[in-house]
């Protein structure tokens, strides 16, 4: 296998390593991945996460199993187990189905499967670069940008989706500043986005999720950029819980709101947001917090909890979706232009 390197995943000397994102930002612990069951747990526990990176992690795991000599039947079984590891981010299903096609083909070889997984890695880097260029064109000198969750190099194998746009604008010298939503319950913003912006040198300020309306009302936010875990054909999309609230506020205060995603996040089987499955997670994530410091519970230990990991934002309240092929404005989404991508 080729040696490959990204912020959250590495292939080195035919071994696969995942940066444990649950320990960031205070500990950079690279996990050497054992077998596919190990990877299933790594994905379930969000040690690797972010829609595109979940897909590439699962794909590279299958490539590693192929390299180790697994036959077609074994690879098929592993692929199906990996495909189930998280339900909302469609990039996982799309990459697994792409690899299953190779496995099921009569001319299947392990080399072909490894090549396909490596192609998906290279493609993700390029998709991120393109989204970065298209999205940065929407940013003005001196903008204060609100960002939710984490969508950078820790969520993809390139520079990221929404955070890639921000990084690109920063490198273009646009003098931007980012308000980082901490993103309860797992704090992907306060832990991971802050860590990435620190590394890249983009000025930022962390805020609690419930401070957004206040900041917007004071005119302190000029644009919002977020990522997505699954986009329906009509333009509705799922993203980290809290996104729908941010979008509703941005709509109310007339602040441009964009979601940024590669075409691999569009689900051609899904007509609108009502068809997107929402992952429900462990109640302890809301009862307390966990990280490099261990685990704390601050609520009553048996408190009732509701913990959906994602919510659905309607295309009707956003300014548009920045794809690798360019901006799809709200009007274009309402005119069914996303569907056309799959009809051509
Ligand atoms: O539960 P997570 O951390 O995997 O959720 C991640 C998000 O919601 C991101 O915003 C999304 O994957 C966009 S990724 C570039």
């Amino acid at each position: 296998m080729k040696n490959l390197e990204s912020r959250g995943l590495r292939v080195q000397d035919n071994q696969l390593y995942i940066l444990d994102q649950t320990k960031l930002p205070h500990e950079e612990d690279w996990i050497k991945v054992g077998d596919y069951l190990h990877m299933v747990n790594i994905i379930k526990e969000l040690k690797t996460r972010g829609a595109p990176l979940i897909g590439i992690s699962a794909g590279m795991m299958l490539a590693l199993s192929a390299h180790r000599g697994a036959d077609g039947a074994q690879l098929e079984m592993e692929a199906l187990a990996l495909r189930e590891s998280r339900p909302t981010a469609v990039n996982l299903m799309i990459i697994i189905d792409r690899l299953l096609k190779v496995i099921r083909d009569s001319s299947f070889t392990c080399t072909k499967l490894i090549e396909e997984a490596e192609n998906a890695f290279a493609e993700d880097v390029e998709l991120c670069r393109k989204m970065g260029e298209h999205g940065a064109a929407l940013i003005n000198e001196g903008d204060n940008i609100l960002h939710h969750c984490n969508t950078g190099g820790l969520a993809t194998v390139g520079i990221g989706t929404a955070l890639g746009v921000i990084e690109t604008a920063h490198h273009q010298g646009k003098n931007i500043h980012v308000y980082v939503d901490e993103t309860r319950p797992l704090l992907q913003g306060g832990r991971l986005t802050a860590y990435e912006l620190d590394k890249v040198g983009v000025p930022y300020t962390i805020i609690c999720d419930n401070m957004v309306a206040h900041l917007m009302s004071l005119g302190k936010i000029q644009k919002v950029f977020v990522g997505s875990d699954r986009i329906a054909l009509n333009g509705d999309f799922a993203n980290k819980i809290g996104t729908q609230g941010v979008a509703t506020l941005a709509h109310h205060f007339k602040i441009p709101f964009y979601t940024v995603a590669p075409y691999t996040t569009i689900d051609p089987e899904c007509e609108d947001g009502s068809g997107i499955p929402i992952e429900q997670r462990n109640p302890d994530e809301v009862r307390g917090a966990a990280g490099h410091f261990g685990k704390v519970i601050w609520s009553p230990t048996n408190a009732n909890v509701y913990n959906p990991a994602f919510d659905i934002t309607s295309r009707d309240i956003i300014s548009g979706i920045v794809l690798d092929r360019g901006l799809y404005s709200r009007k274009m989404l309402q005119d069914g232009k996303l569907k056309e991508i799959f009809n051509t």
Side-chain angles (χ1 to χ4, degrees), residues 46 49-52 54 86 148-152 155-156 160-162 188 226-229 239-240 260 279 309-310:
L46 268 62
R49 48 149 296 285
I54 294 168
R86 284 194 77 189
H148 192 71
C149 197
N150 172 266
T151 65
T156 65
T161 59
Q188 287 95 330
V226 301
S228 175
D229 289 77
N239 192 46
K240 180 52 55 192
V260 186
E279 176 182 11
F310 301 95

Side-chain angles (χ1 to χ4, degrees), residues 21 43 46 48-54 86 88-89 91 124 128 131 147-156 160-164 183 186 188 191-192 226-230 238-241 243 259-262 265 279 281 309-311:
Q21 298 195 26
I43 294 173
L46 268 62
T48 189
R49 48 149 296 285
L53 183 58
I54 294 168
R86 284 194 77 189
T88 303
N91 307 60
D124 189 59
C128 288
M131 287 180 274
H147 178 273
H148 192 71
C149 197
N150 172 266
T151 65
L154 289 172
T156 65
T161 59
L163 218 50
T183 318
L186 293 181
Q188 287 95 330
R191 295 185 305 105
L192 309 176
V226 301
S228 175
D229 289 77
R230 192 184 296 222
N239 192 46
K240 180 52 55 192
I241 190 74
T243 302
T259 188
V260 186
T265 301
E279 176 182 11
R281 294 191 57 86
F310 301 95
D311 56 26

Side-chain angles (χ1 to χ4, degrees), residues 6 11 41 48 150 227 239 257-258 266 289 307 323:
S6 70
V11 180
N41 276 325
T48 189
N150 172 266
N239 192 46
F257 177 109
Y258 299 98
I266 305 171
N307 188 15
L323 288 179

